[in-house]
Amino acid sequence: MEILGLDIGGSGIKGAPVNIETGQLTAERFRIPTPLPTKPESVANTVKELVDHFNWKGPIGCGFPTVVNNGKCMTKSNIHKSWVGVQVDQLLSEKTGLPVTVINDADAAGLAEMTFGAGKNKKGLVVTVTIGTGLGTGVFYNGILIPNFELGRIYYKNGEIIEYFAADSARKKDNLTYSEWGKRFNKFLKHTVRIISPDLFILGGGASKKMDKFENEITVDVPVIVAENKNEAGIIGAAVAAYLKDK
């Protein structure tokens, strides 16, 4: 069975059909720059363009870069404020004429990892962290997603949101070495451990590929491993979400 997975981001909208049994893309990934401003109608038109590129006629799963509650956009995050309150799944279904399932993009990336990657068959409380512009987190208990756990949005001791201090964008902005940044990221992990006591962290995103450069700074008493799904995680997980919706 194949489902079209879409990943809507602040800079690009990308997608590909996914074999839901293997997690493999069955066609080359296609990407279109996210229209500016990122308003609902223009983004929906871009999604339609991407769907038409694949001549797709089946179900669609979509990762979306905000808190999503039952298909509705709840926060603006990195997109236009006019999205707040929009029933995203309904908008995209009307635009494409196809059934669309929409979930948070970090949850989608986590679903891919828990289904086909390093988190497969892992029990207990697992936190996936996508390290990039922010800290996107997915939280799973015995493999089941607990949606919209936005741990990157918790506050640091200076009153700022912690992802502004500990995401990969902060490393670049403050011109930190990986070791210096690793100390910051470790504070995020320690804070998370103090709040929810997970059994495992799985790190994804760009910085996870440099784990050897900061792993000596990680001191939490919880296993920390690197994700196996790379750039396709959001696409694969979105397709998984659409598949699970009908289960």
Side-chain angles (χ1 to χ4, degrees):
M1 180 181 181
E2 292 183 12
I3 292 176
L4 182 65
L6 303 179
D7 187 3
I8 295 178
S11 61
I13 300 174
K14 55 195 177 188
V18 179
N19 182 319
I20 212 66
E21 294 176 356
T22 66
Q24 299 295 311
L25 306 191
T26 60
E28 188 173 346
R29 184 180 69 168
F30 185 64
R31 180 186 185 276
I32 302 174
T34 304
L36 295 174
T38 54
K39 292 184 177 181
E41 186 66 20
S42 58
V43 170
N45 286 332
T46 304
V47 166
K48 174 71 161 60
E49 186 181 342
L50 203 148
V51 171
D52 289 346
H53 168 82
F54 290 105
N55 193 28
W56 189 255
K57 302 301 180 189
I60 298 170
C62 180
F64 198 74
T66 69
V67 173
V68 176
N69 190 356
N70 295 317
K72 179 186 285 188
C73 174
M74 307 303 292
T75 58
K76 73 179 183 68
S77 297
N78 294 320
I79 57 173
H80 197 271
K81 62 184 179 181
S82 59
W83 275 102
V84 177
V86 171
Q87 196 69 39
V88 186
D89 52 358
Q90 183 179 327
L91 171 67
L92 298 183
S93 288
E94 290 172 353
K95 183 62 68 172
T96 61
L98 299 168
V100 180
T101 301
V102 178
I103 67 166
N104 172 265
D105 57 351
D107 286 348
L111 267 177
E113 202 56 38
M114 297 300 292
T115 308
F116 299 111
K120 188 175 182 179
N121 299 322
K122 293 288 194 295
K123 299 299 183 184
L125 192 64
V126 178
V127 177
T128 61
V129 185
T130 303
I131 309 167
T133 304
L135 294 172
T137 55
V139 177
F140 299 81
Y141 186 68
N142 289 340
I144 305 298
L145 173 67
I146 307 172
N148 295 316
F149 245 86
E150 297 269 297
L151 293 168
R153 308 297 288 182
I154 58 180
Y155 291 105
Y156 187 50
K157 62 184 180 182
N158 62 0
E160 275 200 351
I161 292 171
I162 199 164
E163 66 182 0
Y164 298 160
F165 169 78
D168 197 37
S169 55
R171 178 187 64 81
K172 296 172 181 175
K173 178 173 68 75
D174 295 337
N175 197 27
L176 303 174
T177 66
Y178 272 100
S179 178
E180 291 168 334
W181 169 80
K183 291 181 171 67
R184 292 190 180 191
F185 183 68
N186 188 57
K187 292 181 189 297
F188 165 71
L189 296 183
K190 287 171 68 175
H191 204 28
T192 301
V193 170
R194 183 68 184 85
I195 296 169
I196 62 173
S197 302
D199 297 293
L200 175 67
F201 286 107
I202 302 176
L203 308 185
S208 68
K209 301 170 188 173
K210 307 286 187 178
M211 179 81 167
D212 60 313
K213 295 187 176 183
F214 64 88
E215 60 186 345
N216 289 340
E217 310 303 335
I218 305 301
T219 63
V220 290
D221 191 23
V222 175
V224 179
I225 62 176
V226 176
E228 295 172 6
N229 290 296
K230 305 301 182 186
N231 293 337
E232 284 80 32
I235 293 172
I236 296 167
V240 171
Y243 175 75
L244 293 176
K245 185 179 181 182
D246 294 329
K247 294 298 159 188

